[in-house]
Amino acid sequence: MGRKRTKSGKIRLAEVAELAGVSPITASRFFRNPEALSVGKRTRVESAARELGYVPNLAARALASQRTEVIGVVIPSLTNNVFSDVLRGIYDASEGGRYSIQLANTRYSILQEEKLLRLFLAQKPAGLIVTGIDQTAESRSMLEAAECPIVQIMELGSNPVDMMIGFSHYEAGRAAIAHLLTQGFRRIGFLGARMDPRVQRRFEGYQAAMKEADLFDPRLIVTTPVATSATLGGTLFADLLTQAPDIEAVFCVNDDLALGVLFECQRRHIAVPERMAIVGFNDLEFMACAVPALTSVRTNRYEMGRNAATMLIEAIEGRRPNEAVVDLGFAVMERQSSLGPRHARTRRPGKIGRRTNKMVALPSPTN
Amino acid sequence: MGRKRTKSGKIRLAEVAELAGVSPITASRFFRNPEALSVGKRTRVESAARELGYVPNLAARALASQRTEVIGVVIPSLTNNVFSDVLRGIYDASEGGRYSIQLANTRYSILQEEKLLRLFLAQKPAGLIVTGIDQTAESRSMLEAAECPIVQIMELGSNPVDMMIGFSHYEAGRAAIAHLLTQGFRRIGFLGARMDPRVQRRFEGYQAAMKEADLFDPRLIVTTPVATSATLGGTLFADLLTQAPDIEAVFCVNDDLALGVLFECQRRHIAVPERMAIVGFNDLEFMACAVPALTSVRTNRYEMGRNAATMLIEAIEGRRPNEAVVDLGFAVMERQSSLGPRHARTRRPGKIGRRTNKMVALPSPTN
DNA sequence: GTCGCCTTTGGTAGCGCTGTCAATCTTCCT
DNA sequence: AGGAAGATTGACAGCGCTACCAAAGGCGAC
């Protein structure tokens, strides 16, 4: 049988097979399809592998089988909370299974995305999870030519490359505005940062809702390509106030901006929601415990990641899901920050929105 | 030369070599050590590879060379902002290089960590980044036996497995308390959640500082193993207030808790910092723009990730850093939320901390 | 002119595993 | 009992690349 061990001292499949008294190929089968073995051999191989502490060499397996057990995940940002939730779902779903996750970060560049996809695809991944539906034409055709299952996440669209899971950012944006309109607000501002495709579609939802209500006014809008932050929320809000001092409510494309707006209101002694309603997006954890509690559009990010990975793995293993496109929906979490005059009036008849609310007097900042 | 293409239609090294008019091994060398080729062959191989769109087969390379170009990263959480910053640094540093990142999440379990390390090590990674210094004995000996460079991140300790980059959580905790003491606060509470080893060490720093000042009192402390959140911050703070109504300041082990405390103070009309000072930890972005601006201990998370990956790659390639242990330090970002009576007195002589600050009167929550 | 040394190139032989297909053994009919 | 169908098992031949070592080429010194 020649050498017993590889020079590195590693246990190979051949050693396991020898100890179990079977051929290497039978031992190999044990790891890929245990049911194909007779019970006797199965237990013999199993205990031999355990005894020797055998760990399969993935490189050899990949080379021989001409496929890897790698799931590629292409996301635009590692910083954004949104994606860390999605990622957590993906990792949770893949945990314990045979597939390993390979992450790539496009930093919101579709050219970078194209490069990364080319790299991934060249390694024949078992499956791919990509963010959104706005790939370059080249990326799109690479994806369509790919032999592995693919899940597009975060958004919905009419022609999925393969599978798709997400929700309509357009509808979510509309719903946020519909809620504010129901609450009786008319001059509703829009605060947008980074303006990636998904933010863009929320923006379109805002525009549609405002136009339908005949309330659209470009002065109500402040956007920037700059990356989002709470501080930026305060800055943009200040700009918005300058542009449209009569504003009654703000829809922020994410919760960081909303938090910044809340703080800016506190700084300027603008009562929320009496003089300014605030609605955020994503419903991060802190929104519910802010003072006042901040309304936000809840999205199912963890579930999105989890389901995407689950669907993908099922598809890899030949069990394609019934529905190729899954809408995870969203929910407007109505909280105090968007309580409108209409509602307020019901509860406290009289001079609502007219009270002179005093905020705590604050010493000037120290740094 | 036999078959020209692999059945999958992929370009192999042999095709590149043929087009370039060199032997496969020479072409191989081009990708590993271009300087070893004569200029003529180098350019010929380069253009041949480009023309054919050659992408090396990593599995074959790994199998043949008996090593992978994978850097394993073991972190305890994917949700925690802290780690997303670290990860971003790691990915940024590895980008464009030959190494790919393989992530594993221990969920704060050192047993899980041991399992993951075993898995990683079995695949002979090029290098490893692990979080913290509190591995199991078994993990520790596996790491010590590993043939690849290893960087421990997040903390400092006296006996690194190999390299180490981080800061002293103990000293950071102490410094936060020292700052509050300097500001004249005496009854300083401690709010801790999740209580992982790093939080534990900040706690030890708190205890040491308080004992030295002869101010230690167990009633000032509220901790929980539960995962952290802003809402939890509010809850723990409420408990703390019950336990020690005369509290003057709170040190929160992270910024989410601090944000929750701020909101809870707003809810209870407790003036910050006049009646309650707040100090957080990590200095997330929103801390500076809160109202009042929240004091926090800044940590260099992105730099930590970036340097860890850079050091590791250098070491993998044989250029070991001069210093195996790097202290990235921290900084107490002193802001308004911890402005003490002593300072305040200097600026506004008289009844400081005695003013009756009015917060905006808020309607009751809507959900 | 010849030798020795250094640089550049090529040949050979796997790395550890699995796909394919054939061989063997069961089981259960007729 | 004979045989078909199915269940198990094994032999062989690579997967695409690189380690190792040998060979060839280039150059200056004596």
Side-chain angles (χ1 to χ4, degrees), chain B residues 13 16 22-50 54 61 98:
Chain B
L13 193 54
V16 176
V22 300
S23 72
I25 188 66
T26 300
S28 166
R29 250 188 294 263
F30 168 76
F31 291 101
R32 289 173 293 148
N33 183 18
E35 283 76 37
L37 301 204
S38 61
V39 183
K41 305 231 165 173
R42 197 186 312 172
T43 54
R44 291 232 302 285
V45 175
E46 184 167 19
S47 60
R50 200 202 323 283
Y54 171 73
R61 178 180 287 176
R98 49 198 302 132

Side-chain angles (χ1 to χ4, degrees), chain B residues 208-227:
Chain B
M210 291 297 277
K211 281 178 179 156
E212 274 166 30
D214 216 12
L215 293 169
F216 183 78
D217 177 353
R219 281 169 303 179
L220 293 169
I221 296 163
V222 176
T223 66
T224 168
V226 167

Side-chain angles (χ1 to χ4, degrees), chain B residues 299-364:
Chain B
T299 58
N300 304 301
R301 300 178 296 282
Y302 176 82
E303 291 73 18
M304 184 150 38
R306 194 171 174 105
N307 288 353
T310 306
M311 281 167 73
L312 189 67
I313 291 171
E314 292 283 297
I316 290 167
E317 297 179 347
R319 302 182 296 278
R320 293 198 71 83
N322 299 326
E323 298 296 334
V325 178
V326 179
D327 185 350
L328 244 33
F330 56 86
V332 179
M333 304 303 289
E334 304 181 5
R335 304 202 179 93
Q336 212 180 326
S337 73
S338 60
L339 241 195
R342 184 162 300 173
H343 279 228
R345 194 166 293 125
T346 325
R347 298 161 74 193
R348 290 184 250 86
K351 52 193 172 115
I352 289 312
R354 313 258 43 249
R355 293 181 301 146
T356 49
N357 292 302
K358 285 243 171 30
M359 304 283 286
V360 61
L362 295 162
S364 57

Side-chain angles (χ1 to χ4, degrees), chain B residues 174-186:
Chain B
R174 267 181 87 104
I177 304 309
H179 161 65
L180 284 168
L181 291 171
T182 307
Q183 291 291 316
F185 298 103
R186 306 279 112 184

